[in-house]
Amino acid sequence: MADLKDFAEQLVNLTVKEVNELANILKDEYGIEPAAAAVAVAAGGGAAGGEAAEEQTEFDVVLKSAGASKLAVVKLVKELTGLGLKDAKDIVDSAPKAVKEGVSKDEAEGIKKSLEEAGAEVELK
């Protein structure tokens, strides 16, 4: 139990640079996409709970369903994320799934609009 507590303390005390390095290691060596965890660790270490609830500055664009034009949505997800075709298809197939996480309100709304024009059902969180 003490080891897990020490590990948790190490995670919380990581710098932004170290969080990014950890995210790259998890992705490259283990195939784990840690975007949500990295955002949570970074936010938990630097923001006070009361202030974060006042005004949301980072949004997640969540694909709820691809709709009738699945191929168009897969292509658009590929363009928006910079992922390969297989990874983009996996995101669309596993909806509801986050397409982009921790983006500004303007960027999130732009992505949402693009995906909805392609026929997808999208939600901002």
Side-chain angles (χ1 to χ4, degrees):
M1 188 70 160
D3 291 337
L4 288 177
K5 203 168 197 173
D6 291 341
F7 179 67
E9 188 172 323
Q10 288 175 348
L11 282 176
V12 171
N13 290 323
L14 290 176
T15 65
V16 173
K17 182 179 178 184
E18 291 169 331
V19 169
N20 285 331
E21 288 176 20
L22 177 60
N24 287 335
I25 291 168
L26 290 173
K27 182 178 179 184
D28 296 342
E29 293 184 22
Y30 300 100
I32 299 171
E33 196 69 43
V39 171
V41 169
E51 293 175 20
E54 288 179 18
E55 184 179 339
Q56 186 174 354
T57 58
E58 291 185 346
F59 294 84
D60 296 342
V61 181
V62 178
L63 178 69
K64 292 177 77 175
S65 76
S69 305
K70 182 178 174 183
L71 183 58
V73 173
V74 170
K75 287 180 180 179
L76 187 56
V77 168
K78 179 182 180 287
E79 287 177 31
L80 292 170
T81 61
L83 295 171
L85 187 60
K86 182 186 181 316
D87 292 331
K89 182 182 179 299
D90 289 345
I91 287 175
V92 173
D93 287 342
S94 62
K97 180 88 172 173
V99 175
K100 283 266 194 165
E101 296 177 320
V103 296
S104 69
K105 183 176 184 177
D106 292 338
E107 184 178 356
E109 288 176 349
I111 293 169
K112 179 181 179 186
K113 182 180 178 191
S114 297
L115 287 166
E116 286 177 341
E117 287 174 357
E121 186 179 339
V122 183
E123 176 183 32
L124 298 183
K125 290 188 176 186

